[in-house]
Amino acid sequence: MSTLSREEIQRLAEHLENAELQVHDVTKITDDYPDMDFEDAYDIQWEIRRRKEARGTRIVGMKMGLTSWAKMAQMGVEQPCYGFLADYFSVADGSAIDTSKLIHPKVEAEIAFVTNKSLKGPGVHVADVLAATDFILPAVEVIDSRYRDFKFDLKSVVADNSSSSRFVTGGVSSSVSGLDLRTLGVVMEKNGEIVEMATGAAVLGNPAESVAMLANMLGTRGEELPAGTFVMTGGVTAAVAVTAGDQILVRYHGLGTLSMRFV
Ligand code: OOG
Ligand code: MG
């Protein structure tokens, strides 16, 4: 059940997308629309996606957010959310990321999947996900909430495409067979010092569970996760704020490293 009109959805999508493209923060939208619901919030996100696609931007993957207790506790939100990844969000491993195009970036270490079969909820479970996984690989997401001071509630962040902004992937890819995703260790270093560490189990007990949840959430809108989709499963630790001059290196057990610097 949505509460907002088509015009309000379009106006809020434009408002939030402009904040992203023009690199300025805004107050959270639930301050002005306290009665909006989750359907409204995802409608706004899907309208932002439609606006980008209409301009020729390609959608190159999906991400889950707020899937670890570390992230949920950090943001004061208790349920996962999803977002889409646009082509220009992708930055190469080892590259310099321009902070003048971002409001207040934070980095997150994540485990990503690439599927080879479509997944359509409801009822998708971990075994379905493993059977539909081509390979997994490391990813680092750079999130950048458009909301002032990075403070929001779940509906506001969903409308803001779950803070999606940039991502780095690469490293070593691996089949999931014979791999225990729960004990896959991740160590994040900032400027040469370890700042965060966790294992895959931090994400809903198993990051494959995050992909299943995404397929099931999409299913409620009649959408599916097509074969060949790149999916980031959510930060395994709290996100780490970065500014120009910072260097980030993340080590993944058996999957190599990813690095980037902020300029
Ligand atoms: C929302 C997005 C969270 C993750 O990996 O948990 C996210 C936010 O914290 O701004 O991408
Ligand atoms: Mg993330």
Side-chain angles (χ1 to χ4, degrees):
M1 252 284 291
S2 39
T3 69
L4 302 180
S5 69
R6 192 67 214 141
E7 290 67 38
E8 284 168 321
I9 299 286
Q10 285 170 349
R11 206 172 42 70
L12 287 166
E14 184 178 5
H15 169 68
L16 290 172
E17 203 205 8
N18 282 346
E20 180 221 322
L21 298 175
Q22 297 161 13
V23 197
H24 62 74
D25 64 9
V26 294
T27 56
K28 67 181 196 311
I29 59 172
T30 48
D31 290 350
D32 294 322
Y33 294 90
D35 297 329
M36 65 177 274
D37 62 20
F38 283 105
E39 193 172 326
D40 295 316
Y42 278 107
D43 283 349
I44 296 167
Q45 180 189 128
W46 279 86
E47 175 62 16
I48 294 174
R49 176 176 172 149
R50 192 201 61 73
R51 291 171 61 85
K52 290 193 188 303
E53 288 189 285
R55 250 181 256 125
T57 297
R58 289 191 51 224
I59 304 307
V60 298
M62 295 294 291
K63 58 80 84 66
M64 283 292 280
L66 305 170
T67 50
S68 64
W69 284 116
K71 277 290 312 182
M72 289 191 257
Q74 182 180 33
M75 304 321 297
V77 170
E78 285 178 0
Q79 271 178 63
C81 55
Y82 67 80
F84 64 84
L85 303 174
D87 50 13
Y88 67 93
F89 296 180
S90 170
V91 290
D93 184 21
S95 53
I97 298 178
D98 184 358
T99 55
S100 74
K101 298 208 169 60
L102 306 172
I103 304 164
H104 39 209
K106 293 184 187 180
V107 292
E108 302 179 318
E110 310 207 4
I111 296 164
F113 285 60
V114 174
T115 62
N116 56 17
K117 291 188 189 71
S118 73
L119 289 166
K120 181 155 189 186
V124 174
H125 54 68
V126 164
D128 298 322
V129 172
L130 297 179
T133 299
D134 197 353
F135 55 89
I136 63 155
L137 75 173
V140 173
E141 182 173 26
V142 181
I143 50 170
D144 192 31
S145 175
R146 268 54 69 168
Y147 296 119
R148 197 144 305 155
D149 303 324
F150 229 113
K151 292 210 177 77
F152 47 69
D153 50 27
L154 189 57
K155 290 169 192 166
S156 294
V157 72
V158 162
D160 182 32
N161 192 22
S162 298
S163 310
S164 303
S165 173
R166 298 286 183 274
F167 68 92
V168 178
T169 190
V172 179
S173 60
S174 168
S175 146
V176 284
S177 78
L179 200 68
D180 186 348
L181 290 162
R182 298 167 303 177
T183 55
L184 198 162
V186 181
V187 179
M188 182 189 281
E189 295 178 12
K190 177 177 166 181
N191 303 326
E193 276 182 36
I194 295 173
V195 286
E196 292 287 347
M197 64 188 104
T199 71
V203 169
L204 298 172
N206 182 335
E209 197 73 67
S210 174
V211 181
M213 187 179 272
L214 172 60
N216 291 326
M217 288 171 84
L218 290 171
T220 66
R221 290 183 70 100
E223 303 278 347
E224 63 170 27
L225 203 56
T229 306
F230 170 74
V231 180
M232 296 197 300
T233 56
V236 291
T237 70
V240 173
V242 285
T243 54
D246 286 335
Q247 184 118 25
I248 295 290
L249 174 79
V250 188
R251 304 175 192 279
Y252 297 82
H253 189 195
L255 301 177
T257 62
L258 291 177
S259 69
M260 69 223 65
R261 65 207 149 83
F262 291 83
V263 296

